[in-house]
Amino acid sequence: MRVAVDAMGGDHGPSVVVNGAIAAARHPDVGVTLVGDADSLRAELARHPDAPTLDILVEHAADAVAMGERPAAALRRKPQSSIRVAAELVARGAADALFSAGNTGATVLAACTGFGVLKGAERPALAATVPTMKGTAVLLDIGANADCRPTHLVAFAGMGTVFARVGLGVANPVVGVLSIGEEETKGNELTREAARLLREAPLRFAGNVEARSLFAGTADVLVCDGFTGNVVIKVSEGIVGMVELMLGEEFAAMAGDEARAAVGAFGRFRARVDYSEYGGAPLLGVRRPVVVGHGRSSAKAVQQAILMAARFAREGLVPRIEQELQQTAS
């Protein structure tokens, strides 16, 4: 499987993206096409002695979309931007999947324009993998759609169910609507109507799930509008960062065996909540596999995201989502 990589996206420039791509390309059956300024990319590749032995191609793109640019305007002004060129490679079959840690809006727009949206999806959704007390769950949408209709959340539930099966290995996922209370009467018009529709859909629906139960593992798939989902994810990242700093301060005051035991436990905790273990968020609902990385993605996160994109292409995630959407709509 070949993954087209927007190598100019992200907060850290092409060096981190190339490092992650090199690590991903060391895996069997994974090829990478790096898209961006060819001279810069070849200079980065030259720092890796084994790069010539790996299945890595370079595709030149004259421009890049900055993180703060308005997506639609930027793509119009920059038809040769790295994210657009990368999406076009996938659209014409020169690559099987797309990855970018750059401007999320530009990535979503380039994918929708280049590949089209699945029938029944109405809108694509970004799905985050979150740790829970029982393993992992899927939260979507986390930012592709700030405003949603109830039917969008139903489609998100269908797509998230397939992702939970393919991406997380959950045999029969349970779906919940993220709301302000478990009772059917709680929530706003969006959540109440979405819950009503989901009770009639051919899915395992558990009802409303409060935000405090998000990490309890009450549901395997949690749906919400993109504004709410994005706030939830960013608050969660902030809490994890604060806990890490506080624990670090406490450990610094310890000594001897107690300190060593505490540091070991902390390492295990960090591995359970480390976003780089998951790599990125798949963009569900478009006609090719797309994974969107965090702007501050590390090389490890880039590697994991590229491997995730390749696996989704290999295991037919998109056709399986399309089939689920048809069944949900029937």
PDB file of all heavy atoms in Angstrom, residues 142-173:
ATOM      1  N   ILE A 142     -14.776  15.343  15.557  1.00  0.00           N
ATOM      2  CA  ILE A 142     -13.940  16.159  16.436  1.00  0.00           C
ATOM      3  C   ILE A 142     -13.441  17.425  15.735  1.00  0.00           C
ATOM      4  O   ILE A 142     -12.448  18.011  16.169  1.00  0.00           O
ATOM      5  CB  ILE A 142     -12.751  15.357  16.985  1.00  0.00           C
ATOM      6  CG1 ILE A 142     -11.821  14.888  15.849  1.00  0.00           C
ATOM      7  CG2 ILE A 142     -13.211  14.196  17.831  1.00  0.00           C
ATOM      8  CD1 ILE A 142     -10.449  14.459  16.337  1.00  0.00           C
ATOM      9  N   GLY A 143     -14.144  17.855  14.683  1.00  0.00           N
ATOM     10  CA  GLY A 143     -13.725  19.127  14.110  1.00  0.00           C
ATOM     11  C   GLY A 143     -14.003  19.377  12.648  1.00  0.00           C
ATOM     12  O   GLY A 143     -13.787  20.483  12.166  1.00  0.00           O
ATOM     13  N   ALA A 144     -14.487  18.385  11.920  1.00  0.00           N
ATOM     14  CA  ALA A 144     -14.747  18.620  10.502  1.00  0.00           C
ATOM     15  C   ALA A 144     -16.031  19.409  10.279  1.00  0.00           C
ATOM     16  O   ALA A 144     -16.167  20.114   9.284  1.00  0.00           O
ATOM     17  CB  ALA A 144     -14.824  17.287   9.752  1.00  0.00           C
ATOM     18  N   ASN A 145     -16.983  19.316  11.223  1.00  0.00           N
ATOM     19  CA  ASN A 145     -18.291  19.975  11.078  1.00  0.00           C
ATOM     20  C   ASN A 145     -18.689  20.636  12.387  1.00  0.00           C
ATOM     21  O   ASN A 145     -19.119  19.959  13.325  1.00  0.00           O
ATOM     22  CB  ASN A 145     -19.370  18.945  10.700  1.00  0.00           C
ATOM     23  CG  ASN A 145     -18.967  18.072   9.525  1.00  0.00           C
ATOM     24  OD1 ASN A 145     -19.076  18.481   8.386  1.00  0.00           O
ATOM     25  ND2 ASN A 145     -18.493  16.878   9.819  1.00  0.00           N
ATOM     26  N   ALA A 146     -18.566  21.937  12.461  1.00  0.00           N
ATOM     27  CA  ALA A 146     -18.924  22.638  13.693  1.00  0.00           C
ATOM     28  C   ALA A 146     -20.421  22.549  13.974  1.00  0.00           C
ATOM     29  O   ALA A 146     -20.853  22.450  15.125  1.00  0.00           O
ATOM     30  CB  ALA A 146     -18.486  24.093  13.626  1.00  0.00           C
ATOM     31  N   ASP A 147     -21.225  22.602  12.926  1.00  0.00           N
ATOM     32  CA  ASP A 147     -22.679  22.516  13.062  1.00  0.00           C
ATOM     33  C   ASP A 147     -23.184  21.267  12.351  1.00  0.00           C
ATOM     34  O   ASP A 147     -22.746  20.953  11.248  1.00  0.00           O
ATOM     35  CB  ASP A 147     -23.345  23.754  12.455  1.00  0.00           C
ATOM     36  CG  ASP A 147     -22.918  25.034  13.147  1.00  0.00           C
ATOM     37  OD1 ASP A 147     -23.118  25.126  14.365  1.00  0.00           O
ATOM     38  OD2 ASP A 147     -22.360  25.920  12.469  1.00  0.00           O
ATOM     39  N   CYS A 148     -24.110  20.567  12.987  1.00  0.00           N
ATOM     40  CA  CYS A 148     -24.618  19.321  12.428  1.00  0.00           C
ATOM     41  C   CYS A 148     -26.132  19.229  12.554  1.00  0.00           C
ATOM     42  O   CYS A 148     -26.740  19.873  13.408  1.00  0.00           O
ATOM     43  CB  CYS A 148     -23.993  18.119  13.160  1.00  0.00           C
ATOM     44  SG  CYS A 148     -22.229  17.892  12.876  1.00  0.00           S
ATOM     45  N   ARG A 149     -26.711  18.369  11.716  1.00  0.00           N
ATOM     46  CA  ARG A 149     -28.108  17.984  11.833  1.00  0.00           C
ATOM     47  C   ARG A 149     -28.179  16.581  12.452  1.00  0.00           C
ATOM     48  O   ARG A 149     -27.187  15.829  12.415  1.00  0.00           O
ATOM     49  CB  ARG A 149     -28.775  17.986  10.457  1.00  0.00           C
ATOM     50  CG  ARG A 149     -28.858  19.359   9.804  1.00  0.00           C
ATOM     51  CD  ARG A 149     -29.823  19.359   8.624  1.00  0.00           C
ATOM     52  NE  ARG A 149     -29.432  18.429   7.582  1.00  0.00           N
ATOM     53  CZ  ARG A 149     -28.656  18.743   6.542  1.00  0.00           C
ATOM     54  NH1 ARG A 149     -28.164  19.963   6.429  1.00  0.00           N
ATOM     55  NH2 ARG A 149     -28.365  17.835   5.635  1.00  0.00           N
ATOM     56  N   PRO A 150     -29.327  16.189  12.988  1.00  0.00           N
ATOM     57  CA  PRO A 150     -29.453  14.850  13.587  1.00  0.00           C
ATOM     58  C   PRO A 150     -29.070  13.722  12.641  1.00  0.00           C
ATOM     59  O   PRO A 150     -28.448  12.737  13.060  1.00  0.00           O
ATOM     60  CB  PRO A 150     -30.937  14.786  13.977  1.00  0.00           C
ATOM     61  CG  PRO A 150     -31.312  16.206  14.231  1.00  0.00           C
ATOM     62  CD  PRO A 150     -30.546  17.006  13.222  1.00  0.00           C
ATOM     63  N   THR A 151     -29.431  13.850  11.367  1.00  0.00           N
ATOM     64  CA  THR A 151     -29.090  12.796  10.409  1.00  0.00           C
ATOM     65  C   THR A 151     -27.580  12.645  10.240  1.00  0.00           C
ATOM     66  O   THR A 151     -27.091  11.556   9.940  1.00  0.00           O
ATOM     67  CB  THR A 151     -29.737  13.074   9.036  1.00  0.00           C
ATOM     68  OG1 THR A 151     -29.392  14.407   8.615  1.00  0.00           O
ATOM     69  CG2 THR A 151     -31.243  12.920   9.100  1.00  0.00           C
ATOM     70  N   HIS A 152     -26.839  13.751  10.436  1.00  0.00           N
ATOM     71  CA  HIS A 152     -25.379  13.659  10.362  1.00  0.00           C
ATOM     72  C   HIS A 152     -24.849  12.760  11.474  1.00  0.00           C
ATOM     73  O   HIS A 152     -23.970  11.923  11.257  1.00  0.00           O
ATOM     74  CB  HIS A 152     -24.737  15.048  10.485  1.00  0.00           C
ATOM     75  CG  HIS A 152     -25.081  15.968   9.358  1.00  0.00           C
ATOM     76  ND1 HIS A 152     -25.113  17.331   9.498  1.00  0.00           N
ATOM     77  CD2 HIS A 152     -25.412  15.724   8.058  1.00  0.00           C
ATOM     78  CE1 HIS A 152     -25.445  17.890   8.347  1.00  0.00           C
ATOM     79  NE2 HIS A 152     -25.626  16.933   7.457  1.00  0.00           N
ATOM     80  N   LEU A 153     -25.390  12.914  12.680  1.00  0.00           N
ATOM     81  CA  LEU A 153     -24.926  12.104  13.808  1.00  0.00           C
ATOM     82  C   LEU A 153     -25.247  10.624  13.595  1.00  0.00           C
ATOM     83  O   LEU A 153     -24.481   9.747  14.009  1.00  0.00           O
ATOM     84  CB  LEU A 153     -25.528  12.605  15.120  1.00  0.00           C
ATOM     85  CG  LEU A 153     -24.689  13.637  15.887  1.00  0.00           C
ATOM     86  CD1 LEU A 153     -24.449  14.885  15.050  1.00  0.00           C
ATOM     87  CD2 LEU A 153     -25.343  13.992  17.219  1.00  0.00           C
ATOM     88  N   VAL A 154     -26.376  10.347  12.942  1.00  0.00           N
ATOM     89  CA  VAL A 154     -26.714   8.952  12.629  1.00  0.00           C
ATOM     90  C   VAL A 154     -25.685   8.375  11.663  1.00  0.00           C
ATOM     91  O   VAL A 154     -25.213   7.241  11.826  1.00  0.00           O
ATOM     92  CB  VAL A 154     -28.133   8.854  12.040  1.00  0.00           C
ATOM     93  CG1 VAL A 154     -28.432   7.415  11.610  1.00  0.00           C
ATOM     94  CG2 VAL A 154     -29.167   9.320  13.064  1.00  0.00           C
ATOM     95  N   ALA A 155     -25.318   9.154  10.641  1.00  0.00           N
ATOM     96  CA  ALA A 155     -24.295   8.697   9.696  1.00  0.00           C
ATOM     97  C   ALA A 155     -22.952   8.529  10.400  1.00  0.00           C
ATOM     98  O   ALA A 155     -22.225   7.569  10.139  1.00  0.00           O
ATOM     99  CB  ALA A 155     -24.173   9.682   8.533  1.00  0.00           C
ATOM    100  N   PHE A 156     -22.623   9.453  11.306  1.00  0.00           N
ATOM    101  CA  PHE A 156     -21.377   9.328  12.068  1.00  0.00           C
ATOM    102  C   PHE A 156     -21.362   8.014  12.850  1.00  0.00           C
ATOM    103  O   PHE A 156     -20.326   7.344  12.949  1.00  0.00           O
ATOM    104  CB  PHE A 156     -21.221  10.492  13.050  1.00  0.00           C
ATOM    105  CG  PHE A 156     -21.078  11.856  12.423  1.00  0.00           C
ATOM    106  CD1 PHE A 156     -21.166  13.001  13.213  1.00  0.00           C
ATOM    107  CD2 PHE A 156     -20.866  12.010  11.066  1.00  0.00           C
ATOM    108  CE1 PHE A 156     -21.039  14.253  12.663  1.00  0.00           C
ATOM    109  CE2 PHE A 156     -20.738  13.274  10.496  1.00  0.00           C
ATOM    110  CZ  PHE A 156     -20.832  14.403  11.304  1.00  0.00           C
ATOM    111  N   ALA A 157     -22.522   7.654  13.416  1.00  0.00           N
ATOM    112  CA  ALA A 157     -22.605   6.426  14.200  1.00  0.00           C
ATOM    113  C   ALA A 157     -22.320   5.201  13.337  1.00  0.00           C
ATOM    114  O   ALA A 157     -21.605   4.275  13.757  1.00  0.00           O
ATOM    115  CB  ALA A 157     -23.987   6.314  14.847  1.00  0.00           C
ATOM    116  N   GLY A 158     -22.870   5.191  12.119  1.00  0.00           N
ATOM    117  CA  GLY A 158     -22.616   4.077  11.219  1.00  0.00           C
ATOM    118  C   GLY A 158     -21.154   3.981  10.824  1.00  0.00           C
ATOM    119  O   GLY A 158     -20.555   2.898  10.834  1.00  0.00           O
ATOM    120  N   MET A 159     -20.554   5.133  10.494  1.00  0.00           N
ATOM    121  CA  MET A 159     -19.144   5.140  10.097  1.00  0.00           C
ATOM    122  C   MET A 159     -18.250   4.787  11.275  1.00  0.00           C
ATOM    123  O   MET A 159     -17.274   4.042  11.136  1.00  0.00           O
ATOM    124  CB  MET A 159     -18.779   6.513   9.531  1.00  0.00           C
ATOM    125  CG  MET A 159     -19.510   6.849   8.248  1.00  0.00           C
ATOM    126  SD  MET A 159     -18.884   8.333   7.406  1.00  0.00           S
ATOM    127  CE  MET A 159     -19.279   9.618   8.602  1.00  0.00           C
ATOM    128  N   GLY A 160     -18.576   5.312  12.450  1.00  0.00           N
ATOM    129  CA  GLY A 160     -17.783   5.013  13.637  1.00  0.00           C
ATOM    130  C   GLY A 160     -17.849   3.551  14.027  1.00  0.00           C
ATOM    131  O   GLY A 160     -16.874   2.982  14.528  1.00  0.00           O
ATOM    132  N   THR A 161     -18.999   2.922  13.779  1.00  0.00           N
ATOM    133  CA  THR A 161     -19.144   1.496  14.073  1.00  0.00           C
ATOM    134  C   THR A 161     -18.184   0.663  13.233  1.00  0.00           C
ATOM    135  O   THR A 161     -17.526  -0.254  13.732  1.00  0.00           O
ATOM    136  CB  THR A 161     -20.600   1.052  13.821  1.00  0.00           C
ATOM    137  OG1 THR A 161     -21.449   1.707  14.768  1.00  0.00           O
ATOM    138  CG2 THR A 161     -20.751  -0.451  13.972  1.00  0.00           C
ATOM    139  N   VAL A 162     -18.084   0.998  11.942  1.00  0.00           N
ATOM    140  CA  VAL A 162     -17.157   0.270  11.070  1.00  0.00           C
ATOM    141  C   VAL A 162     -15.720   0.522  11.512  1.00  0.00           C
ATOM    142  O   VAL A 162     -14.902  -0.406  11.569  1.00  0.00           O
ATOM    143  CB  VAL A 162     -17.345   0.681   9.599  1.00  0.00           C
ATOM    144  CG1 VAL A 162     -16.339  -0.034   8.708  1.00  0.00           C
ATOM    145  CG2 VAL A 162     -18.756   0.366   9.139  1.00  0.00           C
ATOM    146  N   PHE A 163     -15.391   1.774  11.831  1.00  0.00           N
ATOM    147  CA  PHE A 163     -14.029   2.072  12.258  1.00  0.00           C
ATOM    148  C   PHE A 163     -13.689   1.326  13.542  1.00  0.00           C
ATOM    149  O   PHE A 163     -12.564   0.840  13.715  1.00  0.00           O
ATOM    150  CB  PHE A 163     -13.859   3.580  12.464  1.00  0.00           C
ATOM    151  CG  PHE A 163     -12.524   3.958  13.049  1.00  0.00           C
ATOM    152  CD1 PHE A 163     -11.351   3.651  12.385  1.00  0.00           C
ATOM    153  CD2 PHE A 163     -12.434   4.593  14.277  1.00  0.00           C
ATOM    154  CE1 PHE A 163     -10.115   3.979  12.920  1.00  0.00           C
ATOM    155  CE2 PHE A 163     -11.217   4.927  14.820  1.00  0.00           C
ATOM    156  CZ  PHE A 163     -10.043   4.623  14.134  1.00  0.00           C
ATOM    157  N   ALA A 164     -14.653   1.228  14.469  1.00  0.00           N
ATOM    158  CA  ALA A 164     -14.393   0.498  15.715  1.00  0.00           C
ATOM    159  C   ALA A 164     -14.086  -0.971  15.430  1.00  0.00           C
ATOM    160  O   ALA A 164     -13.223  -1.578  16.073  1.00  0.00           O
ATOM    161  CB  ALA A 164     -15.590   0.621  16.654  1.00  0.00           C
ATOM    162  N   ARG A 165     -14.782  -1.528  14.438  1.00  0.00           N
ATOM    163  CA  ARG A 165     -14.509  -2.925  14.080  1.00  0.00           C
ATOM    164  C   ARG A 165     -13.147  -3.085  13.422  1.00  0.00           C
ATOM    165  O   ARG A 165     -12.340  -3.934  13.802  1.00  0.00           O
ATOM    166  CB  ARG A 165     -15.596  -3.438  13.123  1.00  0.00           C
ATOM    167  CG  ARG A 165     -16.971  -3.617  13.738  1.00  0.00           C
ATOM    168  CD  ARG A 165     -17.847  -4.480  12.822  1.00  0.00           C
ATOM    169  NE  ARG A 165     -19.254  -4.390  13.199  1.00  0.00           N
ATOM    170  CZ  ARG A 165     -20.183  -3.801  12.465  1.00  0.00           C
ATOM    171  NH1 ARG A 165     -19.871  -3.240  11.310  1.00  0.00           N
ATOM    172  NH2 ARG A 165     -21.443  -3.770  12.875  1.00  0.00           N
ATOM    173  N   VAL A 166     -12.899  -2.244  12.399  1.00  0.00           N
ATOM    174  CA  VAL A 166     -11.668  -2.383  11.611  1.00  0.00           C
ATOM    175  C   VAL A 166     -10.457  -1.849  12.371  1.00  0.00           C
ATOM    176  O   VAL A 166      -9.393  -2.483  12.395  1.00  0.00           O
ATOM    177  CB  VAL A 166     -11.806  -1.650  10.265  1.00  0.00           C
ATOM    178  CG1 VAL A 166     -10.506  -1.715   9.468  1.00  0.00           C
ATOM    179  CG2 VAL A 166     -12.948  -2.238   9.457  1.00  0.00           C
ATOM    180  N   GLY A 167     -10.610  -0.669  12.975  1.00  0.00           N
ATOM    181  CA  GLY A 167      -9.465  -0.018  13.609  1.00  0.00           C
ATOM    182  C   GLY A 167      -9.166  -0.491  15.012  1.00  0.00           C
ATOM    183  O   GLY A 167      -8.007  -0.521  15.431  1.00  0.00           O
ATOM    184  N   LEU A 168     -10.210  -0.872  15.764  1.00  0.00           N
ATOM    185  CA  LEU A 168     -10.020  -1.213  17.176  1.00  0.00           C
ATOM    186  C   LEU A 168     -10.310  -2.677  17.493  1.00  0.00           C
ATOM    187  O   LEU A 168     -10.082  -3.119  18.617  1.00  0.00           O
ATOM    188  CB  LEU A 168     -10.915  -0.317  18.054  1.00  0.00           C
ATOM    189  CG  LEU A 168     -10.781   1.192  17.833  1.00  0.00           C
ATOM    190  CD1 LEU A 168     -11.712   1.941  18.776  1.00  0.00           C
ATOM    191  CD2 LEU A 168      -9.341   1.642  18.029  1.00  0.00           C
ATOM    192  N   GLY A 169     -10.857  -3.399  16.537  1.00  0.00           N
ATOM    193  CA  GLY A 169     -11.120  -4.812  16.768  1.00  0.00           C
ATOM    194  C   GLY A 169     -12.316  -5.094  17.649  1.00  0.00           C
ATOM    195  O   GLY A 169     -12.401  -6.161  18.269  1.00  0.00           O
ATOM    196  N   VAL A 170     -13.262  -4.147  17.737  1.00  0.00           N
ATOM    197  CA  VAL A 170     -14.478  -4.354  18.530  1.00  0.00           C
ATOM    198  C   VAL A 170     -15.492  -5.094  17.671  1.00  0.00           C
ATOM    199  O   VAL A 170     -15.937  -4.592  16.642  1.00  0.00           O
ATOM    200  CB  VAL A 170     -15.065  -3.004  19.010  1.00  0.00           C
ATOM    201  CG1 VAL A 170     -16.314  -3.241  19.858  1.00  0.00           C
ATOM    202  CG2 VAL A 170     -14.023  -2.210  19.786  1.00  0.00           C
ATOM    203  N   ALA A 171     -15.879  -6.280  18.110  1.00  0.00           N
ATOM    204  CA  ALA A 171     -16.729  -7.129  17.276  1.00  0.00           C
ATOM    205  C   ALA A 171     -18.117  -6.549  17.062  1.00  0.00           C
ATOM    206  O   ALA A 171     -18.649  -6.582  15.954  1.00  0.00           O
ATOM    207  CB  ALA A 171     -16.828  -8.520  17.909  1.00  0.00           C
ATOM    208  N   ASN A 172     -18.741  -6.021  18.113  1.00  0.00           N
ATOM    209  CA  ASN A 172     -20.121  -5.532  18.015  1.00  0.00           C
ATOM    210  C   ASN A 172     -20.241  -4.216  18.778  1.00  0.00           C
ATOM    211  O   ASN A 172     -20.735  -4.183  19.907  1.00  0.00           O
ATOM    212  CB  ASN A 172     -21.089  -6.575  18.581  1.00  0.00           C
ATOM    213  CG  ASN A 172     -22.514  -6.360  18.119  1.00  0.00           C
ATOM    214  OD1 ASN A 172     -22.791  -5.478  17.299  1.00  0.00           O
ATOM    215  ND2 ASN A 172     -23.432  -7.147  18.647  1.00  0.00           N
ATOM    216  N   PRO A 173     -19.795  -3.116  18.188  1.00  0.00           N
ATOM    217  CA  PRO A 173     -19.674  -1.846  18.919  1.00  0.00           C
ATOM    218  C   PRO A 173     -21.012  -1.302  19.419  1.00  0.00           C
ATOM    219  O   PRO A 173     -22.049  -1.444  18.776  1.00  0.00           O
ATOM    220  CB  PRO A 173     -19.060  -0.896  17.877  1.00  0.00           C
ATOM    221  CG  PRO A 173     -18.445  -1.791  16.854  1.00  0.00           C
ATOM    222  CD  PRO A 173     -19.312  -3.011  16.811  1.00  0.00           C
TER     223      PRO A 173
END
